[in-house]
């Protein structure tokens, strides 16, 4: 193989390119009509009332924490098996972060671990203000149960659905915010659709929508509070909170609108590929992803597990063997508490047996709309070769 096969890849077509060019020729490069148009299309798709588009999911997570009032001294819980942004957003608000262990089969938050952790937290009088739930690989966590568990404590929920656009939970779109205050999507090129860089915070709460919008634009508002004769001063604006410039541009939004029209199609293409993987790998000693009842995966990643792996180095060796054969596998994710930055907070690895098992076993096989059948066959045969090489086949 000439070029190694990547684990994920965007697809850009002529409609996407034309949409971007149209904006470049228009009057508005940013803060124009494409932003509300993209937001409306996302609301329409997910069945949500409001959306606030931003320049990344990282920005959207940060602003979501700000909108929910997270600040210094607060506590935020999230999943250790996620991209670091799921935890960093709380740190950026000055809050402390703690992790809820995951189910080693799905990498999603474990209900038993959450139940126990809530009990202990309540007895210590230190329950989190916000729980950030991650839908790993595009398969939703058990939102209804999670909402029920945290409700008595008044804990707010942000769904980090960076992997989840296009997926279903209880046969409703991920992003509907039925069981959360806010849901965040990412439009980075490896995600289900792309704006190059971009993200969004979805909500059904009008007050949160206005806070999200305010924090993404410097904390500035245009519906004036203190100005005496606002109507005769159209140039007037006021800063009422400390915000940032996290806006998405019209160029990126136009790309997003175009990409959204292909989302279901891309998901279906990946569904066919995922089923082929499952068919061909069922005789391997490999754990395969499962969609719980009522859930449909967005298929952001195809995470499989090397059953019985005794340490992360065994899985790493497998990834290296695959790379030597021209197949890029990846690891999503090393538990966040293992990162050098997070080690200063002295998390106990023994508190997270589920995350540690997941970390020993999991790796991602390539999955993207343009992955050909021949390449998929090659990946499967490379996996067989690698496992045999390591005496792990059978
Ligand atoms: C990609 C990702 C993010 C960050 O998304 P950006 O748009 O790149 O900022 C956050 N959380 C998770 C789970 C992700 O996979």
């Amino acid at each position: 193989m000439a070029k190694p096969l990547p684990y994920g890849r965007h697809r850009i077509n002529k409609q996407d390119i034309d949409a971007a060019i149209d904006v470049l020729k228009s009057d508005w490069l940013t803060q124009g009509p494409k932003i509300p148009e993209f937001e409306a299309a996302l609301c329409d798709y997910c069945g949500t009332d409001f959306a606030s588009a931003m320049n990344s999911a990282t920005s959207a997570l940060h602003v979501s924490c700000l909108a929910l009032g997270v600040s210094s001294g607060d506590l935020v819980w999230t999943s250790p098996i996620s991209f670091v942004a799921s935890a960093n957003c709380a740190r950026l608000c000055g809050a402390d972060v703690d992790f809820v262990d995951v189910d080693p089969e799905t990498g999603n938050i474990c209900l038993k671990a959450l139940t126990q952790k809530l009990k202990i937290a309540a007895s210590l009088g230190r329950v989190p203000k916000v729980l950030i739930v991650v839908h790993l690989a595009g398969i939703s966590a058990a939102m209804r149960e999670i909402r029920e568990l945290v409700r008595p404590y008044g804990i707010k929920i942000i769904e980090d659905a960076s992997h989840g656009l296009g997926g279903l939970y209880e046969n409703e779109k991920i992003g509907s915010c039925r069981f959360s205050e806010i849901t965040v999507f990412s439009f980075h090129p490896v995600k289900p659709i792309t704006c190059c860089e971009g993200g969004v915070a979805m909500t059904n709460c009008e007050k949160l929508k206005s806070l999200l919008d305010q924090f993404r634009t410097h904390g500035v508002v245009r519906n004036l509070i203190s100005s005496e004769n606002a109507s005769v001063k159209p140039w007037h604006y006021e800063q009422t909170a400390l915000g940032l410039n996290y806006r998405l541009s019209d160029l990126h939004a136009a790309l997003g609108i175009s990409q959204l029209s292909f989302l279901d199609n891309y998901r279906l293409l990946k569904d066919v590929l995922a089923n082929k993987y499952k068919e061909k790998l069922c005789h391997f000693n490999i754990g395969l992803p499962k969609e719980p009842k009522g859930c449909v995966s967005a298929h952001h990643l195809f995470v499989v597990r090397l059953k019985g792996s005794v340490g992360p180095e065994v899985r790493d060796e497998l990834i290296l063997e695959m790379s030597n054969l021209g197949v890029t596998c990846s690891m999503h994710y090393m538990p966040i508490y293992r990162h050098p930055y997070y080690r200063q907070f002295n998390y106990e690895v023994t508190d997270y047996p589920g995350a540690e098992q997941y970390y020993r076993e999991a790796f991602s096989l390539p999955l993207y709309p343009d992955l050909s059948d021949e390449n998929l066959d090659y990946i499967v045969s490379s996996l067989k070769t690698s496992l045999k090489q390591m005496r792990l086949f059978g």
Side-chain angles (χ1 to χ4, degrees):
M1 300 235 161
K3 257 201 293 183
L5 294 169
Y7 80 84
R9 191 183 150 75
H10 58 270
R11 180 195 263 191
I12 295 287
N13 61 26
K14 185 166 184 304
Q15 180 189 304
D16 297 324
I17 294 167
D18 289 345
I21 290 172
D22 284 348
V23 172
L24 289 172
K25 291 179 177 166
S26 79
D27 292 338
W28 300 93
L29 298 182
T30 192
Q31 292 175 280
K34 291 295 168 188
I35 312 292
E37 197 184 315
F38 186 35
E39 290 171 342
L42 287 162
C43 287
D44 195 39
Y45 183 84
C46 295
T48 326
D49 291 337
F50 307 102
S52 184
M54 295 186 220
N55 57 12
S56 71
T58 302
S59 301
L61 286 165
H62 183 197
V63 162
S64 297
C65 284
L66 291 171
L68 291 175
V70 174
S71 66
S72 164
D74 285 334
L75 181 60
V76 171
W77 287 359
T78 189
S79 166
I81 302 297
S82 187
F83 183 57
V84 289
S86 305
N88 288 348
C89 55
R91 293 292 308 139
L92 286 166
C93 298
D96 296 327
V97 172
D98 202 355
F99 300 99
V100 184
D101 200 16
V102 301
D103 175 339
E105 284 201 12
T106 63
N108 279 338
I109 281 180
C110 166
L111 295 176
K112 220 167 125 192
L114 178 60
T115 308
Q116 278 166 2
K117 203 174 175 76
L118 282 167
K119 255 187 220 151
I120 295 168
S123 73
L124 297 173
R126 183 127 168 91
V127 293
K129 185 174 243 176
V130 171
L131 172 65
I132 301 175
V133 179
V134 178
H135 306 310
L136 192 71
I139 299 176
S140 179
M143 290 310 299
R144 177 182 290 277
E145 290 83 357
I146 290 172
R147 183 62 142 188
E148 278 311 305
L149 285 171
V150 306
R151 190 196 302 279
Y153 306 99
I155 298 165
K156 304 280 197 295
I157 297 179
I158 298 172
E159 295 175 69
D160 180 350
S162 293
H163 303 178
L165 184 61
L168 303 183
Y169 174 70
E170 291 195 351
N171 302 310
E172 277 182 29
K173 293 273 164 47
I174 292 177
S176 72
C177 295
R178 188 121 120 80
F179 300 104
S180 66
E181 272 61 41
I182 297 172
T183 301
V184 168
F185 293 122
S186 170
F187 307 119
H188 180 277
V190 297
K191 307 293 160 86
I193 59 166
T194 189
C195 296
C196 298
E197 294 276 5
V200 70
M202 315 288 298
T203 185
N204 290 322
C205 169
E206 192 166 7
K207 175 131 182 287
L208 282 175
K209 159 67 175 165
S210 85
L211 287 169
L212 291 163
D213 285 356
Q214 190 183 353
F215 282 118
R216 85 172 160 184
T217 306
H218 310 281
V220 157
V221 285
R222 284 197 175 265
N223 42 344
L224 309 169
I225 295 162
S226 62
S227 175
E228 279 155 21
N229 42 4
S231 57
V232 298
K233 297 198 278 182
W235 46 266
H236 186 83
Y237 58 84
E238 289 171 2
Q239 185 193 344
T240 57
L242 188 60
L244 304 118
N245 179 356
Y246 278 171
R247 289 187 305 259
L248 191 70
S249 78
D250 273 51
L251 179 61
H252 296 88
L255 182 53
I257 294 164
S258 176
Q259 284 262 306
L260 189 58
S261 70
F262 301 108
L263 171 63
D264 288 338
N265 178 235
Y266 292 173
R267 204 206 66 79
L268 281 172
L269 289 171
K270 289 186 286 183
D271 203 43
V272 170
L273 293 165
N275 285 330
K276 283 198 180 127
Y277 268 134
K278 286 181 186 170
E279 209 175 283
K280 289 171 193 283
L281 295 175
C282 68
H283 303 302
F284 288 48
N285 191 25
I286 290 281
L288 297 169
K290 282 196 212 89
E291 294 167 32
K293 203 161 165 275
C295 287
V296 167
S297 177
H299 289 307
H300 165 53
L301 299 167
F302 195 77
V303 176
V304 296
R305 285 165 299 111
L306 186 57
K307 283 188 198 160
S309 168
V310 291
E313 63 287 350
V314 178
R315 186 269 332 283
D316 292 347
E317 192 188 330
L318 179 63
I319 292 179
L320 197 66
E321 292 282 345
M322 292 292 278
S323 157
N324 291 337
L325 295 171
V327 180
T328 308
C329 294
S330 194
M331 202 292 129
H332 303 93
Y333 297 87
M334 176 172 84
I336 296 175
Y337 51 74
R338 282 178 167 261
H339 283 277
Y341 170 79
Y342 281 94
R343 277 194 220 141
Q344 65 179 304
F345 306 111
N346 299 316
Y347 300 102
E348 296 285 350
V349 169
T350 48
D351 286 342
Y352 307 104
E356 287 297 303
Q357 185 187 337
Y358 176 91
Y359 177 50
R360 285 193 297 276
E361 298 184 343
F363 61 102
S364 310
L365 292 173
L367 183 67
Y368 45 91
D370 284 325
L371 183 67
S372 67
D373 282 352
E374 299 80 65
N375 282 340
L376 187 141
D377 287 341
Y378 178 76
I379 292 163
V380 171
S381 76
S382 301
L383 185 58
K384 191 166 182 174
T385 307
S386 301
L387 289 169
K388 279 190 169 159
Q389 185 84 15
M390 293 173 66
R391 304 188 184 291
L392 291 170
F393 191 76

